[in-house]
């Protein structure tokens, strides 16, 4: 691909680690138990859950969404033919189909279908100015905050309904996911449908905000001259670090039930606003620190590792889900709801390393990852050379 930026692929490879850390708990236990009051029975498991909440949750879909918006701009530059619209929407449709299949057969928290739907909307912003995109990104974040405030007010009613049905729901989950291939897929489809309101109201406004911010960043060539970018980022870094640490500390204490339950209306608003803005702030800090690392001599040893994973990010994302499904479902190893949060967190590293090794081995032979090849062949409506 023309205009490919190594640091973008490097960030994608890193983001795959964070996405896996957040997703793994939803593979390993009923989704109703994740981040619940009774999720963990040991201090070690609680610490594992706190680590995921503070460092990973809400940061890495933000990063992936930003990179999607950045990549959208590069796609526009690389596709200047007479009818780029049909090619773009074929790609978006193909991504949506992969997301739909992913949600049914592998993971209830699929993000690809959401990217396809919101990516279709992004097309209509392609001619907007950089300043407009930046302002609209902020507007979407404000909408995200309002949506989360609304969700926090509806939380009490949701919890009361959930508590009344929780024993039955947990039994259904355990039976289905520890059953056969068909039973687990049926249950996963149900869980995916149930998660749609969360995706729409909690994630979509933030995702689209990051799409627009990534598009803005690409239009301004943020990552083509790191020395120039670093100076601007350096001025923002102390403030975003403070916001990121304090906001995510509040998020962790609240989401892991360390703070008192049933907070006042004022505190609910504070929690929602803090969650909305502190996650992107900490993500910015990750990008700044990784940018400095990437452009230093220290990164030479692992640049190729992360860049190669980034080039095969679709394959690795789906592959991580395949491995996790095999570990926890009954048609595989059958460890569903049998492993604590700490061990689940530790599992993140070997699974991520496995797909890193796979990526390096695959790229020695082929130029495209298997899922990238399928999507690109569909996009161009012809068989693309894979070698």
């Amino acid at each position: 691909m023309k205009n490919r930026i190594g640091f973008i692929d490097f960030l994608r490879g890193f983001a795959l680690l964070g996405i896996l850390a957040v997703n793994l708990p939803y593979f390993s236990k009923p989704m109703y138990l994740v981040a619940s009051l009774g999720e963990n029975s040991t201090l070690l498991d609680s610490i594992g859950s706190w680590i995921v909440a503070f460092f990973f949750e809400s940061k890495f879909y933000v990063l992936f969404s930003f990179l999607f918006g950045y990549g959208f701009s590069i796609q526009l530059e690389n596709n200047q033919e007479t009818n780029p619209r049909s090619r773009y929407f074929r790609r978006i449709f193909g991504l949506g189909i992969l997301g739909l299949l992913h949600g049914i057969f592998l993971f209830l928290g699929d993000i690809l279908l959401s990217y396809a739907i919101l990516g279709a909307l992004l097309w209509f912003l392609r001619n907007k100015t950089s300043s407009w995109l930046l302002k609209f990104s902020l507007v979407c974040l404000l909408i995200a905050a309002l949506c989360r405030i609304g969700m926090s007010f509806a939380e009490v009613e949701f919890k009361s309904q959930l508590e009344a049905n929780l024993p039955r729901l947990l039994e259904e989950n355990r039976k289905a996911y520890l059953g056969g291939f068909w039973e687990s897929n049926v249950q996963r489809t149900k869980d995916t449908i149930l998660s749609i309101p969360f995706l729409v109201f909690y994630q979509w406004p933030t995702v689209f905000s990051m799409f627009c911010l990534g598009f803005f960043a690409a239009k301004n060539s943020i990552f083509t001259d790191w020395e120039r970018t670093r100076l601007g980022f350096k001025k923002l870094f102390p403030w975003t670090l403070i916001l990121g640490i304090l906001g995510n500390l509040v998020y962790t204490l609240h989401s892991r039930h360390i703070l008192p339950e049933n907070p006042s209306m004022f505190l609910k608003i504070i929690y929602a606003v803090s969650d909305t803005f502190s996650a992107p702030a900490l993500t910015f800090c990750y990008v700044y620190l990784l940018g400095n690392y990437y452009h230093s001599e220290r990164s030479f040893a692992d640049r190729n590792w992360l860049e190669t994973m980034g080039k095969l990010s679709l394959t690795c994302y789906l592959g991580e889900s395949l491995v996790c499904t095999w570990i926890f479902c009954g048609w595989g190893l059958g460890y569903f709801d049998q492993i604590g949060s700490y061990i689940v967190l530790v599992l993140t590293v070997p699974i991520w390393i496995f797909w890193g090794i796979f990526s390096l081995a695959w790229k020695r032979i082929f130029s495209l990852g298997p899922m990238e090849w399928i999507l690109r062949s569909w996009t161009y409506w012809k068989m693309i050379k894979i070698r």
Side-chain angles (χ1 to χ4, degrees):
M1 179 185 289
K2 295 180 291 183
N3 305 323
R4 189 140 204 159
I5 299 172
F7 182 50
I8 296 295
D9 288 323
F10 185 90
L11 286 175
R12 287 195 184 100
F14 175 72
L16 285 165
L17 174 64
I19 289 289
L20 180 59
V22 176
N23 289 353
L24 253 172
Y26 292 91
F27 286 102
S28 69
K29 67 190 72 172
M31 66 176 184
Y32 310 102
L33 290 182
V34 178
S36 68
L37 187 59
E39 178 186 19
N40 303 303
S41 57
T42 69
L43 178 60
L44 203 57
D45 286 335
S46 294
I47 291 173
S49 182
W50 298 341
I51 290 171
V52 172
F54 185 88
F55 291 102
F56 298 101
E57 281 183 9
S58 297
K59 289 83 180 172
F60 286 89
Y61 82 83
V62 163
L63 178 55
F64 249 129
S65 301
F66 173 85
L67 296 174
F68 184 97
Y70 205 105
F72 171 74
S73 179
I74 295 175
Q75 287 177 44
L76 292 180
E77 291 179 19
N78 291 337
N79 292 285
Q80 300 285 346
E81 73 279 358
T82 55
N83 190 19
R85 173 184 234 165
S86 59
R87 181 174 293 180
Y88 178 76
F89 278 98
R90 274 201 305 272
R91 178 180 178 84
I92 286 296
F93 181 76
L95 191 67
I97 293 299
L98 288 176
L100 188 63
L101 295 174
H102 183 226
I104 294 172
F105 293 105
L106 295 176
F107 182 51
L108 62 91
D110 168 74
I111 197 67
L112 298 180
L113 183 57
S114 295
Y115 276 20
I117 295 169
L118 297 175
L121 298 178
L122 188 62
W123 171 264
F124 300 101
L125 305 184
R126 67 192 183 282
N127 295 322
K128 297 296 183 181
T129 64
S130 294
S131 60
W132 189 95
L133 289 167
L134 183 60
K135 293 173 184 175
F136 190 66
S137 174
L138 180 58
V139 169
C140 289
L141 268 188
L142 293 173
I143 293 172
L146 292 174
C147 287
R148 294 181 190 192
I149 290 171
M151 290 177 68
S152 68
F153 290 155
E155 188 177 18
V156 175
E157 177 63 24
F158 172 76
K159 281 185 175 179
S160 65
Q161 293 183 8
L162 179 61
E163 287 173 3
N165 296 287
L166 188 59
R168 175 182 59 82
L169 293 171
L170 293 179
E171 181 61 28
E172 287 179 358
N173 262 245
R174 289 165 180 146
K175 183 178 179 181
Y177 285 117
L178 289 173
F181 182 74
W182 173 254
E183 290 84 0
S184 64
N185 292 335
V186 170
Q187 184 62 45
R188 190 177 298 108
T189 303
K190 293 178 181 178
D191 291 345
T192 297
I193 293 171
L194 286 173
S195 68
I196 288 175
F198 172 82
L199 290 172
V200 172
F201 292 105
Y202 187 86
Q203 288 191 341
W204 280 19
T206 301
V207 167
F208 203 68
S209 171
M210 293 301 108
F211 279 7
C212 294
L213 188 62
F215 194 12
F216 161 82
K219 277 178 171 282
N220 288 273
S221 303
I222 293 294
F223 293 133
T224 55
D225 183 359
W226 179 253
E227 283 306 309
R228 174 178 62 86
T229 298
R230 184 179 64 83
L231 295 176
F233 278 18
K234 187 177 181 180
K235 295 177 182 178
L236 293 174
F237 178 72
W239 304 104
T240 54
L241 183 63
I242 293 170
L243 174 59
I245 290 175
L246 293 179
N248 283 286
L249 180 61
V250 170
Y251 168 77
T252 301
L253 294 174
H254 173 58
S255 66
R256 278 4 185 222
H257 311 280
I258 300 170
L259 294 176
E261 298 290 313
N262 301 318
S264 66
M265 183 181 298
F266 175 75
L267 283 178
K268 285 183 177 181
I269 294 173
I270 294 296
Y271 294 158
V273 173
S274 173
D275 178 25
T276 303
F277 291 96
S278 63
L282 195 56
T283 304
F284 171 86
C285 295
Y286 292 165
V287 172
Y288 172 70
L289 294 173
L290 287 168
N292 287 337
Y293 175 72
Y294 178 83
H295 291 91
S296 70
E297 294 183 358
R298 291 172 296 172
S299 72
F300 288 163
D302 47 28
R303 269 192 196 178
N304 189 45
W305 171 280
L306 287 167
E307 282 186 25
T308 304
M309 287 192 77
K311 291 173 183 176
L312 272 66
S313 58
L314 181 60
T315 294
C316 290
Y317 172 66
L318 296 175
E320 286 175 350
S321 293
L322 178 62
V323 171
C324 293
T325 304
W326 173 71
I327 290 172
F328 293 105
C329 283
W331 56 264
L333 298 180
Y335 283 107
F336 188 77
D337 204 22
Q338 298 180 43
I339 300 178
S341 298
Y342 177 74
I343 299 300
V344 168
L345 176 60
V346 170
L347 272 175
T348 302
V349 176
I351 296 172
W352 181 73
I353 289 175
F354 170 82
W355 285 103
I357 295 171
F358 172 88
S359 299
L360 290 171
W362 183 274
K363 283 291 285 183
R364 285 180 176 271
I365 304 172
F366 305 102
S367 60
L368 294 172
M371 301 312 301
E372 286 77 11
W373 173 73
I374 290 172
L375 185 58
R376 189 171 296 187
S377 295
W378 166 261
T379 300
Y380 286 85
W381 207 241
K382 64 180 181 180
M383 295 291 286
I384 300 294
K385 290 183 179 180
I386 195 172
R387 301 189 69 169

